[in-house]
């Protein structure tokens, strides 16, 4: 593979870490938003959620996808037969759907901070943890 492949891989991992940091934090903000009772707090959480989603989470997701697809194109002859990679890609698509759901919920909370309970958001926050465990296991262990 190309000499710069490891640089692309490093950029992919860095952007993935940033994406997961944001994707772990945003639903935590939803918990606090749902528990807030005053307008000042609700406005503060709305601003924080918007900045996190638009300024960090979405650009990190895009970068993760771009660097990942770049690596795929460079090593397609090897990757196309790797079952673990196909499973990882399915999980990344699911995580991208979760990302979209966060954007949907973020907008719902603007009009109704009590749209869902803080308990719902606490459980919702666990989904990306499970995906992260599975993705890291697939990439490192390559079980199939």
């Amino acid at each position: 593979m190309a000499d710069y492949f490891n640089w692309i891989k490093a950029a992919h991992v860095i952007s993935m870490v940033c994406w997961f940091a944001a994707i772990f934090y945003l639903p935590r903000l939803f918990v606090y938003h749902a528990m807030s009772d005053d307008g000042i707090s609700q406005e503060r959480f709305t601003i924080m959620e918007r900045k996190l989603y638009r300024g960090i989470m979405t650009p990190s997701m895009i970068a993760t996808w771009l660097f990942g697809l770049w690596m795929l194109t460079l090593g397609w002859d090897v990757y196309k037969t790797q079952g673990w990679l196909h499973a990882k890609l399915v999980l990344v698509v699911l995580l991208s759907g979760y990302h979209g759901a966060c954007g949907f919920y973020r907008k719902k909370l603007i009009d109704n901070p009590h749209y869902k309970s803080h308990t719902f958001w606490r459980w919702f926050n666990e989904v990306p943890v499970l995906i992260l465990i599975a993705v890291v296991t697939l990439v490192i262990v390559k079980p199939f």
Side-chain angles (χ1 to χ4, degrees), residues 29-70:
L29 289 176
F30 293 167
V31 169
Y32 301 141
H33 197 155
M35 293 173 66
S36 67
D37 289 325
D38 62 285
I40 293 171
S41 295
Q42 292 166 0
E43 180 64 25
R44 182 183 315 117
F45 288 122
T46 296
I47 292 167
M48 291 171 69
E49 292 158 3
R50 184 190 77 238
K51 287 182 176 185
L52 181 63
Y53 187 79
R54 290 184 183 173
I56 298 171
M57 198 163 134
T58 298
S60 297
M61 178 190 70
I62 292 167
T64 301
W65 269 102
L66 289 176
F67 290 121
L69 291 172
W70 193 358

Side-chain angles (χ1 to χ4, degrees), residues 73-128:
T73 60
L74 290 174
W76 182 247
D77 288 339
V78 174
Y79 288 136
K80 67 183 175 186
T81 62
Q82 303 297 308
W84 65 267
L85 180 67
H86 297 265
K88 175 198 171 191
L89 290 173
V90 168
L91 291 170
V92 174
V93 167
L94 290 174
L95 186 66
S96 298
Y98 180 91
H99 179 110
C102 285
F104 172 81
Y105 285 140
R106 184 185 70 77
K107 290 179 181 176
K108 287 286 200 180
L109 284 165
I110 292 169
D111 296 326
N112 182 2
H114 306 292
Y115 171 68
K116 303 268 186 189
S117 72
H118 67 91
T119 305
F120 171 84
W121 299 121
R122 290 175 198 277
W123 283 106
F124 182 74
N125 198 30
E126 300 306 317
V127 173

